[in-house]
Amino acid sequence: MEVIAGPENLRESADRVRQGRRSVGFVPTMGAFHEGHLSLMRRAREDNDFAVVSIFVNPLQFGPTEDYDAYPRDLGRDLTLAEMQGVDVVFAPEAQDIYPGGTPAVTVDPGPLGRRLEGRARPGHFAGVCTVVAKLLNIVGPCAAYFGEKDAQQLAVVRRMVADLCLPVRVEPCPTVREPDGLAMSSRNVFLSESERRAAACLYRALRAAADAFASGERAVPGLEATMEAVVLAEPLATLEYATVVDEETFEPTETVDAPARAVIAARVGKPRLIDNVLLQPPVGNNGGRRGPEEA
Ligand code: AMP
């Protein structure tokens, strides 16, 4: 496995692969790997001749009061884990490699989808995500890029950017990897104390409760929201930010689930802010059939 820091060197390496008519799969990450990241790498490895993983904690997507400096970093451990998944190249640039002139003057506007929910809670976040993902896609030039459904709104924003800007890449969604109690794996989970870690499972419990209500025929979003709120309110260490149901593609609010939708939740458990989601897929024949298999 090769480790490359410079964008030019990375581009040359990927060029050689493409010249041999071999496919490049790409997994953008911020490092501090867990099983969720590794599952994306294995998909990229299986689907392609050559797998590239980037490790870059992108300053542009962190707000001024957020945890950019404290974000967990462990390059040595990450490299070992990437190599074990059969990754060919790790691209690990420094901030000045990606933003040589400091904050870029030209950035990608994520549009209305990027201003809802997470975009509202974290102003500028999705512009930072879109800008770095566009840059990384341009540097790596992959056939396919792999994103986790754990960050469902990010996945939707990236899909929309790729469609609207005609970026020549296939976006491949990958299922959320969870701990045995249902907590979605996240690099930020290391910040949870033991009691907070136990409490954090309430996000998934709330989503499951909504998914169960949905499976039993509940289609009204206020009812599904109340179900989720009750679960999180019962957990004293958690502070709910939002729990709602939105259209799967646009993340627009919806009153009734009659097309594929996401139950989405954000809460603070102690200091860490956690997010999670599940797909609510109306039975075939009742949904406009926009998405694949049922997750919830
Ligand atoms: P991050 O390093 O947090 O920016 O995440 C890099 C990629 O891994 C993103 O596409 C995330 O959606 C994905 N990811 C993070 N956590 C999980 C998880 N628990 N399961 C699946 N994918 C994940």
Side-chain angles (χ1 to χ4, degrees):
M1 188 181 78
E2 212 182 340
V3 183
I4 298 178
E8 279 313 314
N9 294 342
L10 194 284
R11 188 173 277 133
E12 278 166 24
S13 170
D15 273 349
R16 279 196 297 277
V17 178
R18 282 187 294 269
Q19 276 157 14
R21 303 194 65 78
R22 297 196 297 149
S23 65
V24 177
F26 176 46
V27 181
T29 81
M30 300 205 298
F33 291 157
H34 50 66
E35 192 51 41
H37 296 114
L38 304 187
S39 71
L40 269 56
M41 291 178 211
R42 290 194 291 269
R43 265 293 298 285
R45 174 67 285 173
E46 278 161 24
D47 292 0
N48 299 279
D49 300 312
F50 197 82
V52 179
V53 173
S54 65
I55 299 176
F56 179 59
V57 184
N58 173 35
L60 219 57
Q61 71 189 67
F62 287 78
T65 60
E66 293 182 0
D67 54 355
Y68 174 70
D69 289 327
Y71 197 83
R73 292 166 172 88
D74 190 345
L75 186 59
R77 175 177 173 275
D78 285 352
L79 294 180
T80 305
L81 289 170
E83 184 150 37
M84 285 166 63
Q85 316 313 310
V87 168
D88 295 285
V89 167
V90 168
F91 179 42
E94 299 292 334
Q96 62 266 27
D97 295 316
I98 299 295
Y99 303 116
T103 305
V106 176
T107 56
V108 179
D109 177 355
L113 168 51
R115 287 188 280 278
R116 301 191 179 113
L117 295 168
E118 282 306 283
R120 178 180 298 235
R122 307 181 64 187
H125 172 67
F126 285 122
V129 168
C130 284
T131 302
V132 81
V133 169
K135 288 183 74 125
L136 291 168
L137 291 173
N138 284 334
I139 293 166
V140 178
C143 309
Y146 297 81
F147 291 87
E149 291 187 12
K150 153 76 169 55
D151 300 290
Q153 193 175 0
Q154 167 174 283
L155 172 61
V157 167
V158 167
R159 277 183 153 144
R160 189 66 201 253
M161 171 179 77
V162 164
D164 285 359
L165 300 184
C166 302
L167 302 184
V169 64
R170 218 171 62 238
V171 173
E172 294 283 1
C174 301
T176 302
V177 178
R178 302 181 178 282
E179 301 285 358
D181 66 355
L183 175 66
M185 291 195 182
S186 162
S187 303
R188 289 190 169 98
N189 291 351
V190 298
F191 296 130
L192 296 166
S193 70
E194 225 172 276
S195 53
E196 289 164 357
R197 167 63 193 82
R198 279 194 301 275
C202 76
L203 275 81
Y204 187 59
R205 274 205 309 276
L207 292 168
R208 286 291 346 154
D212 289 346
F214 176 74
S216 310
E218 175 68 278
R219 293 290 181 270
V221 170
L224 296 167
E225 287 175 343
T227 300
M228 290 190 277
E229 281 163 17
V231 175
V232 179
L233 280 176
E235 177 46 72
L237 292 181
T239 311
L240 186 63
E241 278 195 15
Y242 62 75
T244 188
V245 178
V246 292
D247 179 86
E248 158 74 344
E249 262 172 43
T250 64
F251 273 66
E252 273 181 279
T254 172
E255 277 297 302
T256 314
V257 186
D258 48 17
R262 287 259 160 203
V264 290
I265 191 164
R268 275 194 197 277
V269 182
K271 224 169 150 216
R273 183 174 180 281
L274 305 177
I275 58 170
D276 200 353
N277 68 87
V278 297
L279 181 66
L280 302 180
Q281 173 86 65
V284 179
N286 175 28
N287 69 351
R290 283 210 312 252
R291 271 278 313 225
E294 193 165 331
E295 182 186 292

